[in-house]
Amino acid sequence: MQNIAKLAPAAETLPDTSVPIVEFRNASKSFGAMQVLQDVDLKIRPGEFVCLLGPSGCGKSTLLNLTAGLLQPSKGSAHYRGEKITGINVKTGYMTQNDHLLPWRTVRRNIAVPLELAGWSKADTRRRTDELLKKVGLEAFADSYPSQLSGGMRKRCALARILAYDPETLLLDEPFGALDAQLRLLLQIELRNIVRESGKSVLFVTHDVDEAVALADRCVVFSARPASVRHVINFDLPEDRDLKTLRYNPKYQEECARLWKLLTPELDRQAALGGKS
Ligand SMILES: Nc1ncnc2c1ncn2[C@@H]1O[C@H](COP(=O)(O)OP(=O)(O)O)[C@@H](O)[C@H]1O
Ligand SMILES: [Mg+2]
């Protein structure tokens, strides 16, 4: 029997004819007199891991809010699989900057929230939460309360909760920002494994250049507010990269340097504005 997988051309050599999973068409957003996003044109391909990078306050979280359907653009449009996003986008799982765990619920019952909302049976909820607790390494803390968890465990719990209903696209807003380096690496490895296994698309906001290069297939750099797309960078790193040893890989170091170089004029511009954006 022929091995079809072997005969098929590599994915990266195929023409990119797929409908973008997320697309912004000339999208602008203002809050009153303050313009936050300006003419953002961006296409995210299905299964892509894209990092969004830009100065603090430029509008990155706003872009995730538009993708989740919590906000609408003031001008232009936001689309999901070709359809205009007009209300809550249930295809996305959104981990906001604050983890929003419910303090009166145990870890297991926090993870179960989306399943309860979707009307899952008790038995199915139990099975699914068992699976998720294992996936994020929190089995031993299933009955603990958020206040009894470390910062890293809280993030794991929040991650498990958004994975609970298996959303097609993950929107992660600086999810690992406040963690120590080791824990951050562990969670980055877990996230990449989960994403690679499931083929999910990811929009990941970070202000950390090294993290962006380590995790992303592509990185979008925004200008200071009002944010517009300044650069889009494809990283030339293997899909099955080992995050534990990546920092010693010269190609990784090269990509980090390339990204830093692109950011420097932006920093200079901000400095010239006296840090006001
Ligand atoms: N719902 C809102 N109403 C009014 N202003 C907002 C709202 N959301 C964000 N902003 C403002 O828009 C700007 C960009 O915010 P945000 O998207 O959170 O930036 P970033 O995530 O890049 O730091 C900030 O000045 C913020 O205060
Ligand atoms: Mg933000």
Side-chain angles (χ1 to χ4, degrees), residues 13-144:
T13 64
L14 291 171
D16 185 20
T17 53
S18 55
V19 175
I21 194 134
V22 176
E23 183 178 4
F24 295 96
R25 295 187 197 153
N26 221 18
S28 298
K29 179 71 187 171
S30 299
F31 297 110
M34 180 173 66
Q35 188 170 14
V36 175
L37 299 174
Q38 185 172 17
D39 303 327
V40 173
D41 266 313
L42 189 60
K43 287 181 187 173
I44 311 295
R45 294 186 278 267
E48 232 187 342
F49 197 129
V50 175
C51 279
L52 309 178
L53 212 71
S56 147
C58 75
K60 303 179 295 297
S61 298
T62 302
L63 208 70
L64 293 193
N65 287 333
L66 294 178
T67 313
L70 298 171
L71 294 173
Q72 304 294 318
S74 316
K75 250 182 53 201
S77 52
H79 300 255
Y80 193 85
R81 287 201 179 277
E83 297 205 2
K84 204 162 171 177
I85 304 169
T86 52
I88 298 296
N89 183 352
V90 293
K91 298 283 188 188
T92 60
Y94 190 4
M95 188 165 156
T96 51
Q97 260 175 296
N98 173 322
D99 60 40
H100 293 299
L101 295 180
L102 304 174
W104 60 88
R105 278 184 170 237
T106 61
V107 166
R108 180 190 291 281
R109 297 205 57 235
N110 261 288
I111 297 173
V113 168
L115 305 177
E116 288 176 24
L117 290 174
W120 283 41
S121 71
K122 271 203 167 134
D124 286 345
T125 300
R126 179 85 195 179
R127 199 168 340 105
R128 180 73 181 138
T129 51
D130 274 340
E131 239 173 65
L132 290 158
L133 286 162
K134 192 161 171 224
K135 195 168 261 184
V136 300
L138 281 179
E139 296 122 299
F141 296 88
D143 300 319
S144 303

Side-chain angles (χ1 to χ4, degrees), residues 3-266:
N3 185 336
I4 293 166
K6 265 194 187 148
L7 294 178
E12 59 268 27
T13 64
L14 291 171
D16 185 20
T17 53
S18 55
V19 175
I21 194 134
V22 176
E23 183 178 4
F24 295 96
R25 295 187 197 153
N26 221 18
S28 298
K29 179 71 187 171
S30 299
F31 297 110
M34 180 173 66
Q35 188 170 14
V36 175
L37 299 174
Q38 185 172 17
D39 303 327
V40 173
D41 266 313
L42 189 60
K43 287 181 187 173
I44 311 295
R45 294 186 278 267
E48 232 187 342
F49 197 129
V50 175
C51 279
L52 309 178
L53 212 71
S56 147
C58 75
K60 303 179 295 297
S61 298
T62 302
L63 208 70
L64 293 193
N65 287 333
L66 294 178
T67 313
L70 298 171
L71 294 173
Q72 304 294 318
S74 316
K75 250 182 53 201
S77 52
H79 300 255
Y80 193 85
R81 287 201 179 277
E83 297 205 2
K84 204 162 171 177
I85 304 169
T86 52
I88 298 296
N89 183 352
V90 293
K91 298 283 188 188
T92 60
Y94 190 4
M95 188 165 156
T96 51
Q97 260 175 296
N98 173 322
D99 60 40
H100 293 299
L101 295 180
L102 304 174
W104 60 88
R105 278 184 170 237
T106 61
V107 166
R108 180 190 291 281
R109 297 205 57 235
N110 261 288
I111 297 173
V113 168
L115 305 177
E116 288 176 24
L117 290 174
W120 283 41
S121 71
K122 271 203 167 134
D124 286 345
T125 300
R126 179 85 195 179
R127 199 168 340 105
R128 180 73 181 138
T129 51
D130 274 340
E131 239 173 65
L132 290 158
L133 286 162
K134 192 161 171 224
K135 195 168 261 184
V136 300
L138 281 179
E139 296 122 299
F141 296 88
D143 300 319
S144 303
Y145 287 87
S147 60
Q148 298 170 299
L149 303 181
S150 68
M153 287 173 183
R154 290 181 67 104
K155 294 289 182 187
R156 280 169 202 236
C157 182
L159 186 61
R161 189 173 56 180
I162 69 159
L163 292 171
Y165 59 97
D166 205 19
E168 189 175 50
T169 297
L170 302 180
L171 308 176
L172 307 175
D173 200 349
E174 302 192 26
F176 309 143
L179 304 179
D180 68 65
Q182 270 167 302
L183 201 55
R184 175 183 259 221
L185 179 60
L186 282 178
L187 286 178
Q188 289 170 339
I189 291 169
E190 271 172 31
L191 175 65
R192 258 193 77 91
N193 287 342
I194 289 168
V195 166
R196 287 192 65 216
E197 268 169 28
S198 60
K200 292 186 192 304
S201 316
V202 186
L203 282 178
F204 186 106
V205 172
T206 178
H207 51 243
D208 185 321
V209 168
D210 300 0
E211 179 170 68
V213 180
L215 291 178
D217 303 316
R218 220 151 51 107
C219 179
V220 181
V221 178
F222 292 93
S223 67
R225 199 177 69 227
S228 55
V229 176
R230 194 70 94 189
H231 307 282
V232 178
I233 305 138
N234 283 294
F235 295 128
D236 182 18
L237 288 167
E239 173 64 28
D240 60 349
R241 62 193 81 158
D242 172 9
L243 294 192
K244 273 191 228 126
T245 55
L246 192 63
R247 71 188 60 245
Y248 310 116
N249 178 338
K251 190 79 209 166
Y252 168 74
Q253 293 162 359
E254 228 172 80
E255 293 288 25
C256 288
R258 181 157 75 105
L259 186 49
W260 267 119
K261 215 167 172 176
L262 289 174
L263 289 174
T264 312
E266 195 55 51

